[in-house]
Amino acid sequence: MRGRHFCVSFADPRDLETCLEIGQSLMMDNGAFTAYTKGKPMNKPGFYAWCEEYLANPNWAVIPDVIGGSVEEQREYMSDWPFPKELSAPVWHLNLPLEWLQELADTYGKVCFGSSGEFWQIGTRKWDQRMDQAFEMLTKTKRHLPWVHGMRMLGQSDGRWPLASADSSNIARHHAELNVSPEVMAQRIDAVQPQRKWKPSSQLTLDIE
């Protein structure tokens, strides 16, 4: 896996040093979802200290977000983020308003898309439509799309949405049980690319809320 791009979560950072040694770049995930599933509050001071030690170009970090939170809660939770915007990416949850996505895209060059709420299940018709709405809105308001990172969306690598990057735990979790080399799995993923530009589908509803 040498020379790949890695995602390491603050919730399980045991492979951090190895990834920094062999990888091209590192996405530092805040671990908010893992904390949420365990019913625990996110350790923001700990995550900030982690970023203070390791965050530097070309690595970047996911700004802490509130799983299931409102726009106001997201904005408040992000307000004390101390690191440069060029090293940071906020999360837009698909169940939150498109206006919030617009605000994030106007403020940051990189935005993460998180599937949550009624759009939790990736690949459903409803999820497809919401992704279409998001890219339709961004295309109408921006000459150039921001860097969009799809969280849990590595399976959409060859999809119609122009994702700049995506992550998944598929290789780390399943290569052993599938008896497939991690390198082979990574090659298959890297061999396909999403669309360079957003092209609306005539088969999906694009009503912007």
Side-chain angles (χ1 to χ4, degrees):
M1 297 296 286
R2 185 176 295 275
R4 301 289 178 179
H5 301 274
F6 294 98
C7 168
V8 176
S9 174
F10 178 61
D12 187 1
R14 55 185 156 173
D15 293 322
L16 175 68
E17 294 292 347
T18 298
C19 291
L20 286 171
E21 178 183 348
I22 70 173
Q24 288 191 50
S25 69
L26 178 71
M27 167 188 162
M28 301 172 66
D29 189 16
N30 60 43
F33 179 72
T34 300
Y36 174 78
T37 58
K38 293 182 177 180
K40 298 180 179 180
M42 182 188 167
N43 180 8
K44 282 179 67 175
F47 180 62
Y48 287 7
W50 195 56
C51 289
E52 188 68 48
E53 182 173 359
Y54 294 105
L55 185 58
N57 280 313
N59 308 326
W60 55 279
V62 180
I63 301 174
D65 56 311
V66 183
I67 308 300
S70 65
V71 169
E72 291 71 24
E73 289 173 315
Q74 306 290 348
R75 187 181 285 112
E76 173 63 25
Y77 206 58
M78 294 168 55
S79 63
D80 63 349
W81 179 248
F83 301 101
K85 288 183 173 63
E86 60 269 22
L87 300 178
S88 314
V91 179
W92 175 65
H93 296 269
L94 269 66
N95 64 316
L96 293 180
L98 293 170
E99 290 79 9
W100 175 233
L101 169 60
Q102 183 71 68
E103 181 178 332
L104 295 175
D106 287 344
T107 306
Y108 296 87
K110 186 186 271 100
V111 179
C112 298
F113 279 21
S115 302
S116 56
E118 61 185 307
F119 306 105
W120 166 255
Q121 187 65 43
I122 294 174
T124 64
R125 181 176 176 81
K126 180 180 289 188
W127 184 89
D128 287 356
Q129 290 177 334
R130 189 57 170 171
M131 289 287 286
D132 285 354
Q133 289 176 343
F135 277 103
E136 180 77 357
M137 184 272 292
L138 289 174
T139 300
K140 286 183 176 180
T141 58
K142 290 188 170 295
R143 180 181 177 187
H144 299 287
L145 291 173
W147 180 297
V148 176
H149 176 86
M151 306 186 88
R152 299 192 296 121
M153 297 184 194
L154 209 51
Q156 307 297 324
S157 295
D158 58 349
R160 66 176 177 274
W161 301 285
L163 298 171
S165 59
D167 66 73
S168 170
S169 60
N170 183 44
I171 295 177
R173 295 180 62 184
H174 300 304
H175 75 274
E177 64 188 63
L178 295 174
N179 196 28
V180 178
S181 164
E183 174 64 12
V184 171
M185 295 179 72
Q187 286 177 353
R188 291 173 181 169
I189 294 170
D190 286 347
V192 295
Q193 301 298 327
Q195 297 292 324
R196 289 179 291 110
K197 293 183 179 295
W198 161 242
K199 299 177 181 179
S201 170
S202 61
Q203 300 180 2
L204 293 177
T205 302
L206 291 175
D207 294 333
I208 303 300
E209 56 184 43

